[in-house]
Amino acid sequence: MATMNSMEEFEALLAESLEIDTPQEGSVVKGKVIAIEAGQAIIDVGYKMEGRVDLKEFADIGGVAEINVGDEVEVFLDRVENARGEAQISRDKAKREEAWDRLERAYADETRVDGAIFGRVKGGFTVDLGGAVAFLPGSQVDVRPVRDAGPLMGMKQPFQILKMDRRRGNIVVSRRAILEESRAEQRAEVIGNLTEGQTVDGVVKNITEYGAFVDLGGVDGLLHVTDMAWRRVNHPSEILTIGETVKVQVIKINKETHRISLGMKQLQSDPWDAVETQYALGTVHKGRVTNITDYGAFVELEAGVEGLVHVSEMSWTKKNVHPGKIVSTSQEVDVMVLEIDSAKRRVSLGLKQTQRNPWEVFAETHPVGTNIEGEVKNITEFGLFVGLENDIDGMVHLSDLSWDQRGEDAIANYRKGDTVQAAVTEVDVEKERISLSVKALGEDTFTDAIDGVKRGSIITVEVTAIEDGGVECDYNGMKSFIRRSDLSRDRADQRPERFSVGDKIDVRVTNIDAKTRRMGLSIKAREIAEEKDAVEQYGSSDSGASLGDILGAALKGDKN
């Protein structure tokens, strides 16, 4: 009977145990810490099962495990029984499952999650999100590139989940998104308290080639290099240093982009307000060369007021040279005010106007007829250029080189660098031209030779050469040529060979050309003229006398 009772009790207990669900492997179960030994916690997960978990799995990143006997914890059941007859459990996997559930809810709700950066990997960092490990790209660490991430390591801070894939176990987070959101809120608050024209204090945060960024207490404003001072500023570092506190004026606020433009020069008086009264047209002032370009040089008259000396106004004599060969940067020069345009903030200056026009000086010191001496600077097809004082040139035209030679022949006698003497024949100050003459220094032998001779005159010449086309003859040292057709009125006598060198013959002057320095001579013209005179004096063809009779009578009259 007793045996029967014990069998029934056993069956009842067995049925009761079968009614209780055995925990499923791969799920999270609750357990109780029953002992801590050898760096492990022994956890009773019920169902007469115990398992062991390393204490480090209960610690946060970089922290110490805080767990005691009697604590209830959740663990992940990998296997109901391992080789030692114990349950194979994991606190890390339990936390991971819990974290994924929590992170998926946060990702869906677009809420922030807390985490800590604990490692560096290629392209970024690893972040512990309370059991799940996420990837933080380097570009998502801060709003600006971070050179040293050391201070951020292990620090608990908020992150925004950008994307996640539970099946692949991938989570990407951003710290930058949190900062930008916070920054945007802060910027909006600061900008809301600013107004255009307001004067505020700021700290120079960064300097670039085009300006400086100034921190106005949570929001940055750009101070452009052109708004730093009224004078020319080549680089912002000339007047600003990082960390310096400066007073600036809010020039413009863009409510949409939250961009702020700042200015420093606006807090100072504009020097252009007094330019027209201080720099009257035609007045000469001292200035400093600040910049040199291909088209001229900029000269600072005072801080904030610059004028341009155009290349055409730099020198009276140096026409085609670069401005850098006339002036140098930082050089002090005297300039004359030529034009002012206050609306465009432009001043036109002249450098050469502060010196006397060298052509005017030359005209005063070298009147027409003055003899000069100079070096041949250049030889062209139309004459010589001779260097004169004060870097100016005078020109000797081909026609003014020689009395006796053609200009093209005479110029062949000169070389660059030769010293020549000449007379001033004309000075045109307006056109900046000086005309010179070499031949004016010598006597005009042609004019002297033909003194008193005019067209129609009968002169006696000496034959110097016999040629096929005529004869060459000499008159007071001047050479002339009588063509064959002019040797006689009679065609039969138009033979050059009937003359001999040294013969003296009477000829009539038919032409005088001062340019070519030649006389036109003709025996034929003389004979015709004599015939005409004889007819007029001794008769005419109507009287019945022959031409021979008339000429004979004329000859007799000449003898008597």
Side-chain angles (χ1 to χ4, degrees), residues 171-353:
I171 305 175
V172 180
V173 295
S174 171
R175 177 175 177 269
R176 176 178 176 172
I178 304 296
L179 296 176
E180 285 180 341
E181 185 179 340
S182 173
R183 188 181 178 86
E185 294 173 358
Q186 188 178 18
R187 284 174 66 90
E189 183 181 352
V190 174
I191 290 174
N193 295 328
L194 293 176
T195 57
E196 293 183 1
Q198 181 181 354
T199 301
V200 294
D201 289 330
V203 178
V204 179
K205 194 172 183 181
N206 191 25
I207 293 177
T208 68
E209 289 185 0
Y210 55 86
F213 288 95
V214 179
D215 184 359
L216 303 179
V219 61
D220 290 348
L222 174 62
L223 175 59
H224 198 270
V225 64
T226 57
D227 288 310
M228 290 183 179
W230 291 109
R231 67 176 178 86
R232 180 191 294 269
V233 179
N234 294 318
H235 195 276
S237 58
E238 292 179 8
I239 55 178
L240 294 176
T241 56
I242 294 177
E244 178 185 0
T245 300
V246 293
K247 194 174 290 294
V248 292
Q249 184 180 88
V250 179
I251 300 174
K252 188 177 181 181
I253 301 174
N254 190 319
K255 299 292 184 180
E256 294 181 0
T257 61
H258 286 183
R259 289 182 179 175
I260 304 172
S261 297
L262 305 173
M264 285 176 61
K265 72 179 185 181
Q266 287 76 6
L267 299 176
Q268 306 164 1
S269 59
D270 186 352
W272 276 88
D273 293 341
V275 164
E276 290 191 8
T277 55
Q278 193 167 349
Y279 300 98
L281 298 182
T283 56
V284 177
H285 302 270
K286 212 170 259 304
R288 182 177 62 87
V289 178
T290 57
N291 193 26
I292 297 174
T293 68
D294 290 339
Y295 53 85
F298 287 92
V299 176
E300 184 182 62
L301 298 175
E302 64 172 271
V305 179
E306 276 187 349
L308 172 66
V309 181
H310 193 267
V311 64
S312 62
E313 305 295 345
M314 301 197 81
S315 172
W316 288 108
T317 56
K318 297 174 183 176
K319 303 294 185 182
N320 298 312
V321 298
H322 191 275
K325 293 186 177 180
I326 300 175
V327 294
S328 57
T329 305
S330 299
Q331 179 184 349
E332 282 199 353
V333 292
D334 288 328
V335 289
M336 179 180 286
V337 180
L338 304 180
E339 185 181 350
I340 296 177
D341 189 336
S342 296
K344 294 182 179 178
R345 304 172 76 88
R346 292 178 182 172
V347 177
S348 296
L349 304 173
L351 187 64
K352 70 181 185 182
Q353 288 79 0

Side-chain angles (χ1 to χ4, degrees), residues 479-497:
K479 298 291 184 183
S480 294
F481 191 79
I482 306 174
R483 294 177 300 176
R484 176 189 283 268
S485 59
D486 284 313
L487 289 176
S488 176
R489 182 175 180 275
D490 243 344
R491 286 182 66 91
D493 291 333
Q494 291 177 353
R495 293 176 292 107
E497 59 270 19

